[in-house]
Amino acid sequence: MQRDVGSLPLSPALRARLLAAGFQTAQELLETGPCGLSKEIGISREEALEALQVVRQECAGDAAKTAGGSGSTRKCTALELLEEEQTQGFIITFCSALDNILGGGVQLTKITEICGAPGVGKTQLCMQLAVDVQIPECFGGVAGEAVFIDTEGSFMVDRAADIATACVRHCQLIAEAHQEEDHLQALETFSLESILSHIYYFRCRDYIELLAQVYLLPDFLSEHSKVRLVVIDGIAFPFRHDFEDLSLRTRLLNGLAQQLIIIANDHKSAVVLTNQMTTRFGQNQSMLVPALGESWGHAATVRLIFHWDNTQRLATLYKSPSQKESTIPYNITPQGFRDVQPPPVTQNAEGTEMNPRKRPRREEEK
Amino acid sequence: MATKKLRRAKLSQELCERLSRYQITTCQDFLCLSLLELMKVTGESYRNVQKLLRKVSLACAPKMQTAYEMKVRRSINPSAAFLPTSLHSLDKVLHGGIPCGSLTELTSPPGCGKTQFCITMSVLATLPVSMGGLDGAVIYIDTESAFSAERLIEIAGNRFPTYFDSDEKLFCMTRSIHLYRELTCDSVLKRIKSLEEEIISKKIKLIIIDSVASVVRKEFDTKLQGNLAERSNFLARGASLLKYVAEEFSIPELRDHSCQRKKLFFRHKISRGQTNFSYLDESDYHIVEQWPRDPSRPSVSSS
């Protein structure tokens, strides 16, 4: 109530007028009323009413904050967070080695960045995740939908259909082995058509379309509340060419990162970005580093770097707040993103700390 | 989309006039500003500025489609999804042939047959759909002057003797292959920009650029400092234009590169036993989506 007039989110011209007229606190404004306000400052009554509504809303929001309630402050204890994290699902990648080093899979409410040279499998992993996020809960998935924002045009529907078919087949095998009621029920709705119709695809041709789409994303996610994964395939591509003003680029990227963090938290979804690699010239050698500069490295919570070692594809966990750095091999098969054969020895349930909702791993059938 | 004027984004006339005083006329200018700057230039409150942002974003944002809709659209017209190369094992590996609507890159050391492949693809594209072609015209952007019309006729006559049984048919085919000789990077880019209108007027179904590396190599020496950035700029701009055209008109596009057996710093995909270094480096490769891979290689992926 004692809030200073200069800090209210009114239009700058109106604020300047209020200050010039001598108003100091929000309380004064509310006491004056719309008619008095319009006469004193010389604005119309409708404008005065609108301004007062804004002020009232702001003060109500402030009061809630000082009273310490409501989720807008996002205050909670670490214990509550721990409980939340333990019940939260992961989006599995079908490559158990990768899931292990990630601590279970791609985490919800966090931004994961995948960097790698072209052709190493970044888009493949994104398509795999867009299918895996839809796995029903009884099979150990999060039963969500996916938003796929494509800036490079590398999304191939036929490939996504192949991956989806393999995933459905995998779940069918599990259902046959376990013969449980809810498995069979879930399988009725888990089909190729339903998977593909829950991947929402946006094709952004340049950085303006990407920015516009991310501005509109919160509204879209409120309408489609089951979305649990947002993939932006190629966050680097629209920003890497034709940008003379590098400071503008940094500002836009930071704004983008902020919005994505808010989206990830508010809608409890995972955000996956793919980045390109660029060459950094050292003294007398050159190395491949993730593109978009050093400051972009802070945007993602988890960073994976995919690279080649002769003919073997490797994934390195480069940055993670909770898992240690490690490198594992993986394969891209006609069924999608998989482990290298032979798969790692399946461990007993007691031996490893596994997510209790995860179904036990089966041997890969080719 | 970025250059869309704010007037067409359904903003009020007075607001557009006010913004034009600050030189903000397109959606691009509007979306690049921060919220505080927007409040200053529009003179609106925080809430209203957010509403305006959403309005302008709606004008620029792409349309949503589900993956299922995309699949249905492709399956309605299966012949339009791929251009078979007539090499059966290659077509099998590529899941049908060169995909329409995306960029395909062909790379090899000199003398392996890239230009021959391109000439053959041009012939195939002019064939009717019943024979596996696209029944349309071809744009051939030649930067090395390697295209030979006589060779074109030789290939057509020998490959499809029953179809090209008369001179009339041969000339009809050659009339639908439009050749452009571009010898500098600038002219290549200009040609790519003018493609949109040509495609509509001449009913183009295939675009070939032979080759990208030769113009780039002539003009950009990577040992000089600023050149790497400029070169990447040129390639990226060309690629994004080509991709837009390919998707808009559902056309396959073929780009050629030539390799050199020189040891450059960047390692390219190696085929077993040999090391081929492509002239363009790894960061340039992000631009294209797929290239025909050697069918004998163990890892097969249909990405």
Side-chain angles (χ1 to χ4, degrees):
Chain A
M1 275 301 155
Q2 294 308 310
R3 189 160 158 179
D4 190 51
V5 160
S7 70
L8 293 168
L10 302 165
S11 62
L14 186 57
R15 249 183 301 155
R17 276 194 167 154
L18 288 172
L19 290 171
F23 284 97
Q24 277 191 334
T25 65
Q27 181 69 17
E28 284 179 49
L29 284 180
L30 290 173
E31 280 170 2
T32 318
C35 296
L37 202 61
S38 71
K39 278 191 214 125
E40 230 181 289
I41 310 181
I43 53 176
S44 73
R45 284 199 207 128
E46 288 78 23
E47 283 177 27
L49 182 61
E50 213 184 294
L52 283 181
Q53 281 171 342
V54 170
V55 173
R56 213 165 277 139
Q57 219 181 30
E58 276 302 307
C59 293
D62 287 343
K65 276 186 215 160
T66 46
S70 97
S72 61
T73 52
R74 301 169 213 271
K75 192 178 71 160
C76 58
T77 63
L79 181 62
E80 289 166 22
L81 263 181
L82 180 65
E83 287 164 5
E84 217 181 278
E85 276 181 20
Q86 278 179 339
T87 52
Q88 209 172 67
F90 291 90
I91 307 177
I92 60 170
T93 62
F94 265 100
C95 170
S96 51
L98 188 58
D99 287 340
N100 282 336
I101 63 169
L102 286 175
V106 172
Q107 244 184 324
L108 298 180
T109 75
K110 299 263 187 300
I111 300 187
T112 308
E113 187 182 352
I114 307 173
C115 317
V120 76
K122 309 186 289 294
T123 307
Q124 296 296 303
L125 180 59
C126 291
M127 290 200 271
Q128 183 74 59
L129 289 172
V131 168
D132 289 349
V133 72
Q134 305 188 36
I135 295 179
E137 295 194 344
C138 53
F139 293 106
V142 295
E145 302 172 355
V147 166
F148 199 104
I149 300 179
D150 191 2
T151 60
E152 296 171 340
S154 40
F155 182 79
M156 298 266 153
V157 194
D158 303 308
R159 180 61 174 154
D162 287 345
I163 295 178
T165 317
C167 183
V168 170
R169 183 87 195 104
H170 196 115
C171 292
Q172 276 171 346
L173 290 172
I174 297 176
E176 276 167 32
H178 289 245
Q179 288 293 340
E180 277 173 41
E181 188 53 53
D182 50 351
H183 282 188
L184 298 165
Q185 229 177 0
L187 268 183
E188 281 167 32
T189 47
F190 190 59
S191 65
L192 177 62
E193 287 81 33
S194 82
I195 297 180
L196 288 184
S197 25
H198 292 306
I199 299 182
Y200 303 111
Y201 178 77
F202 296 89
R203 173 76 170 98
C204 295
R205 302 249 155 81
D206 52 32
Y207 72 96
I208 292 296
E209 288 191 21
L210 180 61
L211 283 176
Q213 188 51 49
V214 175
Y215 277 130
L216 294 175
L217 213 46
D219 293 333
F220 184 84
L221 292 183
S222 316
E223 283 167 39
H224 299 85
S225 54
K226 286 189 77 185
V227 170
R228 286 286 168 271
L229 174 69
V230 175
V231 176
I232 301 186
D233 187 7
I235 190 120
F237 182 61
F239 287 102
R240 277 189 83 185
H241 60 98
D242 254 356
F243 240 105
E244 307 87 26
D245 188 1
L246 281 183
S247 57
L248 174 66
R249 186 181 94 165
T250 316
R251 187 153 65 78
L252 292 177
L253 282 172
N254 284 337
L256 213 59
Q258 286 284 34
Q259 280 163 19
L260 290 172
I261 294 176
I262 294 177
I263 288 173
N265 271 312
D266 282 348
H267 300 272
K268 261 207 163 42
S269 46
V271 175
V272 174
L273 312 169
T274 52
N275 198 358
Q276 297 174 355
M277 302 295 267
T278 183
T279 323
R280 188 193 297 165
F281 297 95
Q283 284 288 346
N284 38 10
Q285 23 90 306
S286 62
M287 38 185 246
L288 284 179
V289 296
L292 294 182
E294 291 291 323
S295 48
W296 177 249
H298 298 288
T301 318
V302 176
R303 216 175 204 192
L304 279 169
I305 299 194
F306 286 0
H307 52 111
W308 290 90
D309 176 25
N310 286 321
T311 49
Q312 179 58 54
R313 297 172 205 256
L314 298 172
T316 305
L317 184 65
Y318 190 69
K319 172 184 176 191
S320 164
S322 52
Q323 307 294 323
K324 72 170 186 171
E325 280 184 23
S326 34
T327 306
I328 52 106
Y330 66 91
N331 250 351
I332 312 274
T333 64
Q335 284 90 27
F337 204 83
R338 295 289 189 270
D339 280 306
V340 294
Q341 295 293 350
V345 178
T346 50
Q347 300 149 339
N348 321 347
E350 311 103 54
T352 54
E353 24 93 59
M354 288 208 331
N355 189 335
R357 280 159 45 165
K358 257 176 101 159
R359 47 159 180 71
R361 294 238 169 237
R362 290 166 55 85
E363 294 272 319
E364 250 331 314
E365 273 118 85
K366 265 290 191 165
Chain B
M1 278 296 118
T3 53
K4 197 169 184 177
K5 297 279 184 198
L6 287 172
R7 261 177 280 122
R8 287 165 22 221
K10 299 203 177 58
L11 290 185
S12 68
Q13 184 66 15
E14 29 166 319
L15 189 58
C16 293
E17 275 170 18
R18 189 191 163 123
L19 289 172
S20 59
R21 260 178 273 145
Y22 292 94
Q23 268 97 49
I24 301 173
T25 47
T26 63
C27 292
Q28 181 169 352
D29 304 327
F30 194 89
L31 289 175
C32 283
L33 297 174
S34 70
L35 280 169
L36 281 180
E37 286 168 356
L38 279 175
M39 279 174 74
K40 194 176 76 152
V41 300
T42 58
E44 300 276 350
S45 70
Y46 191 69
R47 255 192 325 178
N48 286 350
V49 158
Q50 284 182 320
K51 282 196 208 138
L52 283 175
L53 252 178
R54 232 166 276 151
K55 233 197 223 172
V56 175
S57 300
L58 267 170
C60 296
K63 211 172 58 106
M64 192 269 286
Q65 22 174 348
T66 64
Y68 188 58
E69 287 165 17
M70 291 167 70
K71 181 163 185 294
V72 164
R73 220 177 308 140
R74 268 175 106 86
S75 56
I76 285 177
N77 209 350
S79 56
F82 291 101
L83 171 60
T85 61
S86 77
L87 303 168
H88 293 294
S89 24
L90 184 60
D91 283 342
K92 210 159 55 138
V93 165
L94 291 176
H95 250 229
I98 310 244
C100 292
S102 62
L103 217 49
T104 304
E105 182 189 5
L106 190 54
T107 167
S108 77
C112 275
K114 297 187 299 297
T115 306
Q116 300 300 309
F117 185 79
C118 291
I119 297 180
T120 315
M121 294 307 292
S122 327
V123 174
L124 288 175
T126 57
L127 292 179
V129 180
S130 53
M131 290 180 70
L134 295 175
D135 194 21
V138 177
I139 284 185
Y140 198 108
I141 300 179
D142 187 6
T143 63
E144 291 178 326
S145 300
F147 186 86
S148 151
E150 290 219 9
R151 179 66 178 140
L152 175 72
I153 298 195
E154 192 185 351
I155 291 179
N158 284 322
R159 206 55 191 285
F160 304 101
T162 48
Y163 181 73
F164 291 111
D165 48 7
S166 66
D167 278 347
E168 179 60 51
K169 287 245 180 74
L170 279 174
F171 292 149
C172 186
M173 184 262 300
T174 51
R175 254 200 297 272
S176 48
I177 299 187
H178 304 273
L179 184 69
Y180 296 104
R181 285 223 167 85
E182 310 291 349
L183 298 168
T184 63
C185 287
D186 242 351
S187 57
V188 169
L189 211 50
K190 262 204 210 95
R191 178 60 58 193
I192 296 177
K193 284 188 190 148
S194 72
L195 279 180
E196 209 171 326
E197 299 181 11
E198 307 245 346
I199 294 172
I200 301 177
S201 60
K202 296 187 182 138
K203 301 206 197 344
I204 304 289
K205 289 286 164 70
L206 174 66
I207 299 177
I208 298 182
I209 301 185
D210 176 17
S211 76
V212 164
S214 66
V215 268
V216 167
R217 208 187 314 166
K218 271 189 283 192
E219 294 191 17
F220 295 108
D221 180 5
T222 45
K223 292 197 200 68
L224 296 178
Q225 254 304 7
N227 273 0
L228 200 55
E230 241 187 272
R231 189 187 77 170
S232 315
N233 255 345
F234 160 72
L235 287 170
R237 215 176 318 149
S240 54
L241 280 171
L242 285 172
K243 277 200 216 200
Y244 166 69
V245 160
E247 286 171 17
E248 223 13 74
F249 298 103
S250 205
I251 294 181
E253 297 187 20
L254 225 54
R255 288 192 340 167
D256 253 4
H257 287 155
S258 27
C259 284
Q260 292 176 299
R261 283 178 184 239
K262 236 167 35 171
K263 194 171 175 23
L264 296 179
F265 355 91
F266 320 109
R267 218 184 68 174
H268 169 53
K269 294 300 164 52
I270 48 178
S271 30
R272 260 240 173 112
Q274 253 185 338
T275 354
N276 285 330
F277 294 104
S278 172
Y279 183 84
L280 299 182
D281 70 36
E282 301 222 336
S283 47
D284 296 328
Y285 276 118
H286 285 293
I287 302 166
V288 298
E289 285 121 44
Q290 61 143 237
W291 49 78
R293 297 201 185 144
D294 180 5
S296 62
R297 280 195 52 189
S299 72
V300 168
S301 82
S302 52
S303 58

